[in-house]
Amino acid sequence: MAITVETLDKLERKMTLTLPLAAVQAEVDARLKKLARSVKMDGFRPGKVPLNVVAQRYGYSVQYEVVNDKIGEAFANAVGEAQLRVAGQPRISEKEGAPEGELAFDAVFEVFPQVKIGDLSAAEVEKITTEVSEEAIDRTLDILRKQRRTFAQRAHDAAAQDGDRVTVDFEGKIDGEPFEGGRAEGFQFLIGEGQMLKEFEDAVRGMKVGESKTFPLAFPADYHGQDVAGKTADFLVTVKKIEAAHLPEVNEAFAKSLGIEDGSVAGLREDIRKNLEREVKFRLQARNKQAVMDTLLSVAELDLPNASVKAEIDRLAEGARAELKQRGVKDADKAPIPDDIFRPQAERRVRLGLVVAELVNANGLHATPEQVRAHVEELASSYEQPADVVRWYYSEPRRMADVEAIVIENNVTEFVLSKVKVKERSIGFDELMGQQG
C-alpha cells in the first residue's frame, strides 16, 4: 500500500490509498466461508448452502464491507504514521487508473489547525469582585419570611392594599365578547407582587369586600396569550375576600424551622451568608471566565476546520428542535433550520474549544481528581444530604465529564489571570445577582 498526502487548502488534505485486490479478495472469501456455515436459504439445510450460491447472494455486500473496513484501517494507519490530527470524517471516493491488481481511493479530509496564542502579558482583563453585605442578608431573610407568611381575613370594611391576598371573581370581554381565560371565580393573588398585569392590580387596590368595578385593561403586544395580545378588554371584578399577610418574626423558632439546630439568629445569618457567598463565587467565576475567554479569542490566531463547525451547527440545531418539541411544536424534529442561524455561535465555540485545548495541553491545566472532587462537594454542600448528591454525580460519567470541563475552564481562567494585566472592579451584590452568571 502506497500513501501520498497533499495540501488542498489551509486545513484540507488529500490522501491517496491503494489496496491490493488479492488481499481484498482473500478477506471476502474468508467472510463468505464463515457466512456459509450459518446462513439459511430455502432448499438447503443450515450450513450446507454451496459457497457459489452464498457468493451470488451476498458477494457484493460482503465485498463492500471488506473494502470499507480495509480503507478505514488503511486511513487510520496512514494518519497515525503521518501524525495528522483529523477533524471530522474523511470523504472517500474511488480513484480511476489504479495500477493492475490494486484498488485506489482518494480520502479528502481536514486536520486540526495550529493554534498560535499571542502575548498574554500585553492583554488586560477586567476582574469583577463582590462582597456579601449585611443588607443582602437582610433582604434574603425578608424573602424567607415572605415564603413562610400566613394570612388572616381583614375586617369587612378594610380596603385592599399592597401585600394583601385578595380573592376575586372576574370576567373580561373584548368588543363585548368573552374570551378564553378571561373569566374566573374565587381567584386569589397577592397585590403588589406582579402576579397580575398592573392595570388589574391598580383596579383592585383600594376595593372592599363585596365591591364590584369595571375597568379597561390593555394586553401588551408580547402577551403570552396570542389571541388577546395587543388588544384592550373590559373587565368586571368583584372582591370576595381580603386577607392581610403576617410575616413570622426572626427568632429561635424561625431559625429552627430553617434547619439551624441551635436556633440562634446569628447562626441563621451565618448560614445565609455562606449560601450567598457560594452563589456569588459561582457567578463571579462565570463572569470572569467570560472575560478571560473573550481575551483569549482576541489574542489567538487559528483557522477553523469546516467539519468541526458543521458538527457544532448540527448539534445546536438538534438542541433547538428538541426545545421546539418540548414546547409542543408539531413536527419539530423536521423543522428546517438554516445553518447560518447558528454559524456565529458554532464558530465561536469551535474556536474557543481549540484555543482552550491548546492552552491546557501546553501548560498542564488538566483537571486533577482532587479538583473534581472538591468541585462536586462544593456543588453538593447546599443540599440537605450532600453525600447523596456526591454519589449522584459520580454515578454518571456524563455528569462527571461536565464537572471536569468546568474545572478545566476554571484552571484556564486562573492561569490567564496570572499572566495578563488584571484590572479589578468591585460591583454591588444586586448588580451581580441581577445578571445571569
Side-chain angles (χ1 to χ4, degrees), residues 335-354:
I337 303 179
D339 285 358
D340 288 348
I341 292 177
F342 298 112
R343 187 170 297 280
Q345 186 181 358
E347 288 182 350
R348 177 186 166 87
R349 285 191 179 187
V350 171
R351 181 176 282 111
L352 195 54
L354 292 169

Side-chain angles (χ1 to χ4, degrees), residues 53-117:
V53 176
V54 175
Q56 188 176 8
R57 172 74 66 87
Y58 297 103
Y60 178 80
S61 60
V62 169
Q63 184 172 14
Y64 181 80
E65 289 175 5
V66 169
V67 170
N68 268 357
D69 291 348
K70 291 285 186 184
I71 285 294
E73 184 182 329
F75 180 75
N77 290 336
V79 297
E81 287 176 22
Q83 296 184 328
L84 297 172
R85 293 172 58 233
V86 178
Q89 294 296 319
R91 302 192 304 276
I92 307 287
S93 58
E94 190 168 356
K95 187 175 183 178
E96 295 181 3
E100 190 174 346
E102 292 184 339
L103 292 172
F105 297 87
D106 282 337
V108 177
F109 57 96
E110 286 184 297
V111 294
F112 283 109
Q114 291 236 323
V115 179
K116 183 182 176 184
I117 298 176

Side-chain angles (χ1 to χ4, degrees), residues 203-256:
V204 173
R205 189 184 291 108
M207 292 180 67
K208 298 177 182 178
V209 172
E211 283 187 352
S212 297
K213 180 189 288 186
T214 301
F215 63 95
L217 187 149
F219 288 101
D222 59 354
Y223 191 69
H224 59 81
Q226 293 299 313
D227 292 341
V228 299
K231 297 179 181 178
T232 298
D234 291 311
F235 273 90
L236 171 65
V237 62
T238 302
V239 176
K240 311 294 285 187
K241 187 194 294 185
I242 301 173
E243 296 168 287
H246 171 71
L247 298 177
E249 294 295 323
V250 180
N251 52 23
E252 182 178 343
F254 183 69
K256 284 188 174 180

Side-chain angles (χ1 to χ4, degrees), residues 87-89 109-110 304-314 350:
Q89 294 296 319
F109 57 96
E110 286 184 297
L304 290 183
N306 292 320
S308 300
V309 173
K310 184 65 172 74
E312 185 63 22
I313 287 172
D314 291 344
V350 171

